[in-house]
Amino acid sequence: MISVMKKLGWFFRMEWKRYTIAIILLTTCGVIEILPPMMVGRFIDQIQSGALSWDRVMVTLFQLGGITIVVYVLSYIWMYQLFGGSFVVERILRSRLMRHFLKMTPTFYERNRTGDLMARATNDLRAVSNTAGFGILTLIDSTLWMATLLFIMTVFVSWKLTLAAIIPLPLMALLFSLLGKRIHQKYSDAQQAFGDMNDGVLETISGIRVIRAYVQERAAEKQFSDVTEDVLQKNLAVVRIDSLFEPITKILVGVSYLIGLGYGAYLVFHNELTVGGLVAFNVYLGMLIWPMFAIGELINIMQRGNASLDRVYETMGSKVDVREPQEPQIVNQPGKIQFEQVTFRYPKSSVDNLTNISFSLEPGQTIGIVGRTGSGKTTLVKQLLREYPAGSGRVSISGVAIDQIGMDELKSWFGYVPQEQFLFSRTIRSNILFGKEQASDAELERSMAASAFQKDVAYLPSGLKTLVGEKGVALSGGQKQRVSIARAMIADPQILILDDAMSAVDARTEAEIIANIRQTRAGKTTIITTHRLSAVKHADWILVLDEGVITEQGIHAELVKQNGWYAEQFQRQQVEAILEEGS
């Protein structure tokens, strides 16, 4: 309990006014609510002694009515402040978590599953929110409120009866402490299982076409059934412990009642306590039931919140492996791009994925990067994007090493179309304008014309307002690629990177896109990685990669004369193109 309060100490300091008001008013309400049982006890004693008058009855009723109104108003205020704070901490942590997600590199997402991250951003944060709201309520009620009640019962009713009635409390505290330790681990396991289930659902929905194509629906159902069974069993393990809190409380509260009634009657019989005092004591004992329940709820909520907060802080504690420079250098305009003896290895790789890569690209030039699958083409362009920690060697733009340029400035120069295009679940128009939100209609038309997508618009159900579905599921592979190219083109970047971005379009459409890019991007730098050599024939320089090493380089005509891999592939692709035209 102390642990989770320390971990949330920054929030309580930030919102100290809110929580100070809530705690003061909550305590004030508790003190005021102590008065009615005392008044009722005196009322009964006056009835017994025959000293009760009508005026006294009216005064007592008005006092009780006034107390009810005051408690109602104060309760409204403290509940608004306290539970409002619980939503504030949830919002703050969720915003921090999202900012953390946005700055993390691919390495982080390779280590963490999407479903588990979603669980931490939803269920775990809700548990933390409960800790900052209902948890504080149970903390106050099980400490200050209980202490106040016990003080009144001891001083104003009977210290002997109070001492006897609270005998079960130490036993309750011991049992709840033992249960609290167990529920922390069980709840952590349950949340982990929930993350696994989330991940399974996401994979199934994303891969539904593949599942159906391979007739794996029953296998997917079985797999999901196993996952949900695991979630069920781990949550039942939590419930089995959680369900012990209330019975233990009820039994021990019942014991307190028996002691209160039995010993109280004994004290009344021996004139050590009045009948009104016994009635008031039993009312106070009834009021003590909730604080006794609150002890169990407090331990339960705090342990759940502590487990969830540990998971959230674990995620936010992940270090960014590609850091911003401490004193970034200013580069007004991206100029010459230069790779000097660059060697790179992925964090999980056992071999170098790039070896001694050296080349330069002048502003306005186009470079083509080709090679067989897995040769390192995408790995090379990702060095410019700084998605992974740099290896050895030097990558520079305008003579400045890219690790000395601010990330925002660096990435503002690039328009990047990756191999696996991602479209948001919005309209086609919104997806294209993601590259430049304030673009005019003319700019939108030009970008679609450049990507050869304009002719497809007429065949779409709602034109540019057509919803593409999750990850662009409503579009063909070629359409998704052309929308992605249009999104990059509308931003008119200084450096355009097309990473095998036309693999799903036919040769004629590819030739049209390349011609449009050459025309619209005259004087700007373009980097193209591809398997189809016709896409880089026009390039100012071409690199041929094999297993992360440059095996050939030059312009198209020179590479064809070398009779190496490039020449062999170019001749083969020419023959294939002729055969396709003939058929």
Side-chain angles (χ1 to χ4, degrees):
M1 181 178 72
I2 296 175
S3 174
V4 71
M5 300 303 286
K6 284 183 178 179
K7 292 171 186 174
L8 285 175
W10 60 269
F11 172 71
F12 295 130
R13 288 190 292 272
M14 182 172 62
E15 294 288 329
W16 69 270
K17 290 183 180 179
R18 175 190 294 275
Y19 280 91
T20 300
I21 292 171
I23 291 171
I24 290 173
L25 294 183
L26 176 57
T27 306
T28 303
C29 284
V31 172
I32 294 173
E33 287 173 355
I34 287 172
L35 298 177
M38 193 178 297
M39 294 165 62
V40 170
R42 291 177 180 174
F43 194 81
I44 291 172
D45 286 339
Q46 288 173 355
I47 293 174
Q48 189 179 21
S49 63
L52 186 65
S53 65
W54 179 251
D55 290 340
R56 190 61 186 170
V57 171
M58 295 303 297
V59 169
T60 302
L61 291 176
F62 277 118
Q63 288 175 339
L64 290 173
I67 288 172
T68 302
I69 293 171
V70 171
V71 169
Y72 177 84
V73 173
L74 295 182
S75 295
Y76 173 82
I77 298 172
W78 74 251
M79 289 184 71
Y80 173 79
Q81 295 293 337
L82 184 61
F83 290 104
S86 69
F87 290 112
V88 171
V89 71
E90 185 176 0
R91 177 183 178 276
I92 290 173
L93 285 174
R94 186 167 286 127
S95 297
R96 289 184 179 180
L97 204 56
M98 182 55 68
R99 283 197 298 271
H100 188 73
F101 289 159
L102 291 173
K103 71 181 181 182
M104 296 309 289
T105 58
T107 308
F108 172 80
Y109 295 100
E110 290 167 8
R111 292 196 310 263
N112 296 277
R113 293 168 295 109
T114 304
D116 188 50
L117 295 177
M118 288 179 61
R120 296 180 189 219
T122 52
N123 273 22
D124 284 313
L125 287 183
R126 180 53 53 88
V128 174
S129 173
N130 286 338
T131 301
F134 192 61
I136 298 298
L137 171 61
T138 56
L139 175 63
I140 299 300
D141 282 346
S142 62
T143 54
L144 289 179
W145 175 226
M146 177 179 283
T148 304
L149 280 173
L150 291 175
F151 175 79
I152 295 298
M153 292 163 68
T154 302
V155 175
F156 294 98
V157 183
S158 171
W159 67 269
K160 292 181 181 180
L161 187 56
T162 303
L163 189 61
I166 64 171
I167 289 174
L169 283 183
L171 178 59
M172 182 187 294
L174 176 62
L175 291 174
F176 285 171
S177 176
L178 295 174
L179 292 175
K181 292 177 181 178
R182 292 183 60 195
I183 206 168
H184 181 281
Q185 182 58 48
K186 296 296 183 184
Y187 187 71
S188 294
D189 294 342
Q191 291 296 85
Q192 182 67 39
F194 181 78
D196 294 340
M197 183 185 71
N198 265 3
D199 204 56
V201 172
L202 283 172
E203 279 193 347
T204 301
I205 293 173
S206 300
I208 191 65
R209 290 183 173 181
V210 176
I211 290 172
R212 287 179 175 173
Y214 285 86
V215 198
Q216 292 296 309
E217 292 95 330
R218 302 291 82 78
E221 287 177 8
K222 175 65 169 58
Q223 185 178 16
F224 185 69
S225 177
D226 293 341
V227 172
T228 53
E229 179 65 23
D230 183 52
V231 174
L232 173 63
Q233 293 304 322
K234 287 180 177 175
N235 276 286
L236 286 178
V238 175
V239 172
R240 275 192 288 270
I241 300 172
D242 191 17
S243 61
L244 294 174
F245 283 96
E246 188 169 339
I248 289 173
T249 305
K250 285 186 174 180
I251 290 170
L252 295 179
V253 166
V255 173
S256 291
Y257 259 115
L258 287 175
I259 295 171
L261 287 172
Y263 189 53
Y266 173 83
L267 293 176
V268 170
F269 182 76
H270 287 84
N271 294 320
E272 294 184 41
L273 184 67
T274 65
V275 174
L278 180 59
V279 172
F281 182 86
N282 278 284
V283 174
Y284 284 134
L285 200 57
M287 295 172 69
L288 200 61
I289 291 176
W290 161 242
M292 294 174 77
F293 270 111
I295 296 173
E297 289 294 326
L298 173 67
I299 294 172
N300 193 349
I301 290 170
M302 291 297 180
Q303 290 294 353
R304 290 184 183 221
N306 197 19
S308 290
L309 199 57
D310 284 343
R311 282 164 50 84
V312 172
Y313 280 174
E314 179 189 17
T315 300
M316 292 197 294
S318 301
K319 302 297 182 183
V320 179
D321 54 4
V322 179
R323 298 186 178 276
E324 288 275 4
Q326 292 184 349
E327 296 181 2
Q329 297 188 35
I330 304 300
V331 179
N332 295 322
Q333 192 76 6
K336 181 179 180 180
I337 297 174
Q338 193 162 12
F339 278 63
E340 301 173 67
Q341 297 294 310
V342 174
T343 297
F344 170 78
R345 177 183 299 185
Y346 284 110
K348 292 185 178 180
S349 177
S350 58
V351 297
D352 291 336
N353 301 99
L354 293 176
T355 305
N356 294 328
I357 301 295
S358 297
F359 68 91
S360 60
L361 182 62
E362 297 292 339
Q365 287 188 331
T366 296
I367 188 169
I369 304 171
V370 299
R372 68 188 72 193
T373 301
S375 60
K377 301 185 296 295
T378 298
T379 303
L380 191 151
V381 298
K382 283 186 176 180
Q383 300 307 297
L384 283 170
L385 299 171
R386 292 198 66 204
E387 290 192 356
Y388 292 91
S392 61
R394 186 172 186 263
V395 181
S396 62
I397 298 178
S398 298
V400 179
I402 60 172
D403 59 4
Q404 296 302 311
I405 302 172
M407 292 289 284
D408 288 344
E409 182 182 10
L410 178 69
K411 292 191 175 182
S412 68
W413 299 332
F414 295 106
Y416 178 47
V417 186
Q419 293 183 40
E420 298 179 3
Q421 290 77 26
F422 181 89
L423 299 183
F424 298 96
S425 301
R426 306 172 189 169
T427 63
I428 291 174
R429 180 187 180 90
S430 296
N431 271 284
I432 296 175
L433 291 179
F434 187 79
K436 185 180 179 181
E437 292 184 6
Q438 305 302 322
S440 64
D441 290 342
E443 289 175 309
L444 178 65
E445 291 295 326
R446 281 197 296 271
S447 68
M448 290 193 298
S451 64
F453 185 73
Q454 201 171 33
K455 58 189 176 183
D456 289 57
V457 175
Y459 299 100
L460 297 172
S462 304
L464 290 178
K465 294 182 179 179
T466 301
L467 292 170
V468 303
E470 187 171 359
K471 297 182 181 178
V473 69
L475 302 180
S476 69
Q479 287 175 326
K480 284 194 288 187
Q481 286 188 334
R482 283 177 285 155
V483 169
S484 298
I485 293 171
R487 179 166 60 192
M489 293 292 289
I490 200 171
D492 193 24
Q494 297 291 330
I495 303 168
L496 176 65
I497 300 176
L498 301 178
D499 186 8
D500 205 10
M502 292 171 282
S503 57
V505 301
D506 58 81
R508 185 174 299 175
T509 303
E510 179 195 62
E512 181 183 349
I513 294 172
I514 292 297
N516 293 338
I517 289 175
R518 292 183 65 185
Q519 179 182 357
T520 58
R521 290 191 54 77
K524 293 185 178 179
T525 305
T526 304
I527 300 172
I528 302 173
T529 77
T530 183
H531 290 94
R532 199 177 287 165
L533 303 187
S534 56
V536 295
K537 283 173 58 178
H538 69 285
D540 298 291
W541 198 251
I542 300 172
L543 302 178
V544 180
L545 294 182
D546 187 24
E547 295 184 356
V549 178
I550 297 177
T551 55
E552 302 173 58
Q553 58 180 312
I555 61 174
H556 172 73
E558 293 174 351
L559 291 173
V560 170
K561 291 178 182 178
Q562 289 179 14
N563 293 321
W565 181 90
Y566 185 93
E568 180 185 342
Q569 285 295 112
F570 181 69
Q571 292 169 6
R572 180 180 297 149
Q573 290 179 13
Q574 276 192 315
V575 171
E576 290 174 354
I578 293 170
L579 292 175
E580 286 180 5
E581 288 180 3
S583 61

